[in-house]
Amino acid sequence: MDKKASFIPRGLYPLRTKRIFTISAVVVIGFYLLSSIITESFIIDFFIKIPNIFGLIGDFFPPDWGYVEQIWPKLFETIHMAIIATTLAVLISIPFSLLAARNVMTNSIIYQFMRFILNIIRTIPDIILAVVFVGLFGIGAFSGIIALIIFAVGILVKLMSEIIEAIDMNPTEAIRSTGGNALQTISYAIVPQILPQFISFSLYVFEINIRASVVLGLVGAGGVGQLINKEINFMNYPAVSTIVIIIFVVVVIIDFISAKLREGLL
């Protein structure tokens, strides 16, 4: 008998793999059915309500293009909010990223404290932050900017600390061995290795802040979302569809430009 033929599996997967897959599928389906029963939410409800969806779409169209002139001021406010929040978040995240990187911060107490703070920040949704700051500072862009800064810092520090932990430590050790101080080590050994990724992540966070600022406006944190909330309350759906279309076009353009910039950096 050919030796190669003896190694050909009789089935596509081993019997043990099939059993594990079957058990896993049964468990997942069981949890899905149990969750659906508890929440009284079944996927079939979506298909039953499809006529209502088409009825709602009919209320939104055609868009009210005469409303465009009222959108631009709030849209520019949204973009300005994202620019301010991203810029400040980038500056704040630089030292925090170093403190949250295990290979740079050798003091375990400071490292664990920074990780603990970051976990808390990432646990709180951005819209909850906006609600809190609207209550503290009132309705307006300032509350949204503060919420976006904290939200963006949580993302940036997490991403950048992991990048720093993956760098080559040989240049760092070489500078330290020649008497270089901490600032020189960071400037000449760490920054050159992480700068492209840092800029790329900053652009990515700017994209996220554009989208998030629209949502935060729904709770009074400034920007075009505040305009959407007002028109929804007045049931002016054609104006809402106009706002949504313009936001979509602007976000697509920003995403395209940002993606091209990131491609040039990496």
Side-chain angles (χ1 to χ4, degrees):
M1 180 184 293
D2 189 0
K3 292 184 179 180
K4 292 183 179 180
S6 63
F7 292 99
I8 298 176
R10 295 182 180 180
L12 184 61
Y13 298 105
L15 182 60
R16 183 172 179 275
T17 302
K18 290 181 180 179
R19 288 176 178 172
I20 294 174
F21 177 79
T22 302
I23 294 172
S24 300
V26 170
V27 170
V28 170
I29 293 172
F31 275 118
Y32 165 76
L33 293 175
L34 179 62
S35 301
S36 297
I37 293 170
I38 292 175
T39 60
E40 298 181 356
S41 302
F42 299 91
I43 191 64
I44 193 172
D45 293 338
F46 173 80
F47 298 99
I48 294 174
K49 300 296 183 180
I50 282 180
N52 295 345
I53 296 174
F54 285 113
L56 183 63
I57 291 175
D59 294 335
F60 279 85
F61 287 90
D64 181 8
W65 296 113
Y67 192 77
V68 172
E69 292 183 1
Q70 302 181 49
I71 299 174
W72 296 122
K74 284 294 184 181
L75 182 61
F76 289 135
E77 183 180 75
T78 294
I79 295 173
H80 293 154
M81 287 171 58
I83 291 173
I84 295 171
T86 304
T87 303
L88 294 177
V90 166
L91 296 176
I92 295 171
S93 65
I94 292 173
F96 284 3
S97 298
L98 295 169
L99 295 175
R102 187 185 295 274
N103 57 341
V104 175
M105 177 45 59
T106 55
N107 188 316
S108 61
I109 296 176
I110 296 177
Y111 171 79
Q112 294 298 337
F113 176 75
M114 285 302 306
R115 286 289 179 175
F116 176 72
I117 295 297
L118 288 174
N119 289 334
I120 293 176
I121 292 175
R122 289 197 302 272
T123 300
I124 305 174
D126 53 345
I127 195 165
I128 300 300
L129 291 171
V131 170
V132 171
F133 290 120
V134 166
L136 291 174
F137 305 115
I139 293 174
F142 183 75
S143 300
I145 290 171
I146 300 299
L148 288 174
I149 289 172
I150 296 176
F151 174 68
V153 165
I155 297 174
L156 270 175
V157 175
K158 171 66 174 177
L159 294 174
M160 287 312 304
S161 61
E162 292 180 352
I163 291 294
I164 293 173
E165 288 178 348
I167 65 172
D168 181 8
M169 293 300 294
N170 289 330
T172 302
E173 294 171 359
I175 293 176
R176 287 174 179 171
S177 65
T178 56
N181 56 34
L183 184 60
Q184 291 172 328
T185 303
I186 293 170
S187 301
Y188 298 107
I190 298 177
V191 171
Q193 296 188 66
I194 66 170
L195 186 59
Q197 290 89 344
F198 185 71
I199 297 174
S200 177
F201 288 147
S202 300
L203 292 170
Y204 173 65
V205 168
F206 174 68
E207 298 174 28
I208 294 176
N209 279 342
I210 289 287
R211 300 183 183 91
S213 59
V214 175
V215 178
L216 299 189
L218 297 175
V219 296
V224 74
Q226 198 170 343
L227 193 61
I228 293 175
N229 189 39
K230 184 188 77 170
E231 297 305 330
I232 289 177
N233 291 334
F234 287 138
M235 301 181 69
N236 188 3
Y237 298 129
V240 173
S241 66
T242 304
I243 299 171
V244 171
I245 291 171
I246 290 178
I247 291 173
F248 173 77
V249 173
V250 170
V251 168
V252 168
I253 293 172
I254 291 174
D255 284 354
F256 177 78
I257 295 173
S258 180
K260 290 298 180 182
L261 290 174
R262 290 201 304 270
E263 288 177 5
L265 291 169
L266 298 178

